[in-house]
Amino acid sequence: MASRVEQVDSVLDALHLNLDALQDIQGRMHSDMVKGLGAASNKAAVVKMFPTYVRSLPDGSENGDFFALDLGGSNFRVLLVKLRDGNVEMKSKVYKIATEIMTGTGENLFNYIADCLAEFKKEQGLEGKDLPLGFTFSFPCRQNGLNSASLVTWTKGFSATGVVDQDVAKLLSEACKRRNVNLDIIAVVNDTTGTLMSCAHADSNCYVGLIIGTGTNACYMEALDEVELWNGDKGEPKQTIINMEWGAFGDDGSIEDIRTDFDRELDKITLNQGKQLYEKMISGMYLGEISRQAILKLAKEKLLFNGVVSAELQKPWAFESKFLTDIEKDVSTDGLVCREILRQLNCRDTMEDVTVVRAICSAVSTRAAKLVTAGLAAVIKKMGRKTLTIGVDGSLYKYHPRFHPLMDTFTRELVPEARVKYMLSEDGSGKGAALIAAVAVRLTGK
């Protein structure tokens, strides 16, 4: 039995990253951040470091009624956000986007969104009112200004024609005019920036936003002098939030030495092979499949299931990331949750098998937490702040029982000189978008 445990550990050792390795990754992320911020080097950079043109955080004095539109997947939300002396009241409605609209024309997509906005305004008794709107558009974009952003590429199953390289705020505005919907689009942002703003409203020391859910991304407040790509007003405040788009870290081969065979097998069955390699080692969309690849490897070496893999488990994506989270939540000695999942997958479920599968889930999620923290350590050191709050959103962070404590531990190891607090965001993509519009209104005095 001892040699069997050693053999299992030997296979899973590929997922282990020691402190030296994490410090090395931190250094590489820092180099890529500098590259992304440079005017001459940005084109070749994989971490794009897009300026968001969001230059101020909420100070609590924002007041008024605002609309927010949250588009980041096959469901989107329309919100009415009321800000009153630091208090936030929200009303919202979720609308489903049919596949034929997601994959049709851009005009039809934005017409549908405008129709939903019109319906929501009517339901709220605001048909004639022209309220400021914050638009959360959670797809890779190049910001041209606070209220202007061009789509770089569709993701998440969208392929609507005529939108790539176009200004999405302009497309929405034109659709609203066609549908006679009065709206003033103040800001276009992504969910990461919204998360930062939402948390900064509650904690004035929050300067970093992080998403760890289906995907992963980070943003932070950067000094304008560091942003060579900046083409906006250079007056006060001399800062802007940077949308890192850090999921693409490693797409240039810089993290090949820490990628495993499990990661490479996973990449082969994704729609975007060779892209978003850092994200594929971290986010909720992929951790279950990485675990499945490790399970297959151990079964092949007869260290699991006596070498027999069920037809169910041979199917890609069969081992869901939810399974990993549920297995990690179960701290009982008998591993009943793991056993039930293995039965669902028609796999043998002896105690030996349960112990090995639990070890796989632990190794995969621990590595993910380490990699996120290594990236954040680069951000923290670049900012040079001694105390800092990081606003976080995303299902993996919310529901995985060990992710937050693991990040706390590794943060203390990587940046012992800083006092860092993680704060769970409350509706960054909705409330955050409205707050960005509210701050812009406060600053311009409109």
Side-chain angles (χ1 to χ4, degrees), residues 4 22 28 52 107 160 163 189 203 250 280 285 306 343 345 347 375 395 415 422 426 429 438:
R4 184 170 174 276
L22 294 180
R28 295 180 215 178
T52 64
E107 186 170 319
V163 185
V189 295
D203 184 337
K280 286 174 183 173
M285 180 174 277
N306 200 28
R343 283 176 189 156
L345 295 166
C347 295
S395 53
V415 275
Y422 291 100
E426 290 179 40
S429 49

Side-chain angles (χ1 to χ4, degrees), residues 365-380:
S365 52
T366 299
R367 183 187 69 156
K370 284 181 174 180
L371 286 169
V372 168
T373 313
L376 285 173
V379 175
I380 295 163

Side-chain angles (χ1 to χ4, degrees), residues 342-389:
L342 292 178
R343 283 176 189 156
Q344 279 181 46
L345 295 166
N346 209 17
C347 295
R348 195 181 76 167
D349 64 337
T350 67
M351 200 59 224
E352 282 184 5
D353 296 320
V354 166
T355 301
V356 172
V357 171
R358 285 173 117 178
I360 291 167
C361 293
S362 176
V364 169
S365 52
T366 299
R367 183 187 69 156
K370 284 181 174 180
L371 286 169
V372 168
T373 313
L376 285 173
V379 175
I380 295 163
K381 284 189 179 281
K382 175 111 181 43
M383 295 181 78
R385 290 183 176 272
K386 293 303 179 193
T387 60
L388 178 68
T389 298

Side-chain angles (χ1 to χ4, degrees), residues 18-19 22-23 370 408-416:
N18 62 24
L19 186 59
L22 294 180
Q23 288 170 334
K370 284 181 174 180
D408 276 336
T409 299
F410 302 135
T411 303
R412 284 192 296 272
E413 290 181 8
L414 286 165
V415 275

Side-chain angles (χ1 to χ4, degrees), residues 90-146:
M90 295 191 290
K91 294 176 181 175
S92 66
K93 186 169 182 178
V94 176
Y95 295 89
K96 177 87 176 160
I97 305 178
T99 304
E100 55 267 29
I101 294 176
M102 290 167 63
T103 57
T105 67
E107 186 170 319
N108 281 347
L109 171 64
F110 284 97
N111 282 347
Y112 175 67
I113 291 169
D115 288 340
C116 295
L117 277 165
E119 180 187 298
F120 184 77
K121 282 187 80 174
K122 187 175 181 181
E123 287 174 0
Q124 298 302 320
L126 295 167
E127 284 171 282
K129 267 213 161 185
D130 186 2
L131 293 180
L133 178 133
F135 182 16
T136 299
F137 188 76
S138 298
F139 300 89
C141 281
R142 181 171 283 99
Q143 292 277 159
N144 311 308
L146 183 61

Side-chain angles (χ1 to χ4, degrees), residues 17-311:
L17 297 169
N18 62 24
L19 186 59
D20 286 345
L22 294 180
Q23 288 170 334
D24 195 27
I25 295 159
Q26 172 192 316
R28 295 180 215 178
M29 179 67 86
H30 181 271
S31 297
D32 275 16
M33 290 171 70
V34 173
K35 193 174 180 180
L37 289 169
S41 51
N42 175 269
K43 190 174 181 182
V46 289
V47 180
K48 282 298 183 187
M49 306 293 283
F50 294 126
T52 64
Y53 296 83
V54 177
R55 297 177 63 183
S56 287
L57 300 175
D59 65 4
S61 68
E62 294 79 17
N63 279 296
D65 296 349
F66 302 86
F67 281 122
L69 176 62
D70 175 17
L71 176 61
S74 56
N75 291 328
F76 80 98
R77 290 182 307 151
V78 185
L79 302 95
L80 173 62
V81 181
K82 299 186 175 190
L83 302 175
R84 299 286 186 276
D85 302 319
N87 295 314
V88 182
E89 180 192 324
M90 295 191 290
K91 294 176 181 175
S92 66
K93 186 169 182 178
V94 176
Y95 295 89
K96 177 87 176 160
I97 305 178
T99 304
E100 55 267 29
I101 294 176
M102 290 167 63
T103 57
T105 67
E107 186 170 319
N108 281 347
L109 171 64
F110 284 97
N111 282 347
Y112 175 67
I113 291 169
D115 288 340
C116 295
L117 277 165
E119 180 187 298
F120 184 77
K121 282 187 80 174
K122 187 175 181 181
E123 287 174 0
Q124 298 302 320
L126 295 167
E127 284 171 282
K129 267 213 161 185
D130 186 2
L131 293 180
L133 178 133
F135 182 16
T136 299
F137 188 76
S138 298
F139 300 89
C141 281
R142 181 171 283 99
Q143 292 277 159
N144 311 308
L146 183 61
N147 65 350
S148 173
S150 304
L151 177 66
V152 174
T153 181
W154 279 121
T155 56
K156 307 173 192 176
F158 279 75
S159 59
T161 57
V163 185
V164 171
D165 293 329
Q166 299 301 306
D167 182 347
V168 295
K170 188 179 176 193
L171 294 177
L172 176 61
S173 183
E174 288 169 350
C176 286
K177 281 177 187 166
R178 286 194 294 271
R179 295 301 200 251
N180 295 313
V181 182
N182 294 328
L183 280 175
D184 184 10
I185 302 170
I186 298 285
V188 185
V189 295
N190 69 10
D191 52 355
T192 320
T193 307
T195 294
L196 168 50
M197 293 295 279
S198 178
C199 289
H201 186 250
D203 184 337
S204 60
N205 203 35
C206 184
Y207 292 95
V208 179
L210 173 69
I211 301 287
I212 324 169
T214 309
T216 184
N217 192 19
C219 69
Y220 71 102
M221 187 66 84
E222 178 63 278
L224 272 192
D225 290 346
E226 298 286 310
V227 189
E228 291 183 12
L229 292 172
W230 183 256
N231 59 3
D233 166 33
K234 292 188 177 174
E236 296 295 336
K238 293 184 181 295
Q239 59 183 19
T240 185
I241 294 175
I242 295 291
N243 165 28
M244 293 177 66
E245 291 294 344
W246 79 357
F249 176 52
D251 287 6
D252 57 356
S254 67
I255 57 173
E256 277 310 298
D257 57 324
I258 63 163
R259 291 179 74 226
T260 66
D261 289 343
F262 314 135
D263 299 306
R264 294 184 182 95
E265 290 302 314
L266 158 80
D267 189 46
K268 287 177 187 174
I269 60 169
T270 59
L271 296 172
N272 57 342
Q273 284 186 38
K275 303 291 184 187
Q276 300 292 105
L277 296 182
Y278 183 61
E279 179 171 80
K280 286 174 183 173
M281 299 168 83
I282 289 169
S283 72
M285 180 174 277
Y286 305 106
L287 297 190
E289 180 58 24
I290 295 170
S291 302
R292 190 185 75 94
Q293 294 294 340
I295 288 169
L296 294 179
K297 166 87 169 168
L298 286 162
K300 188 178 178 182
E301 298 190 9
K302 292 196 163 49
L303 296 168
L304 190 55
F305 310 141
N306 200 28
V308 179
V309 179
S310 69

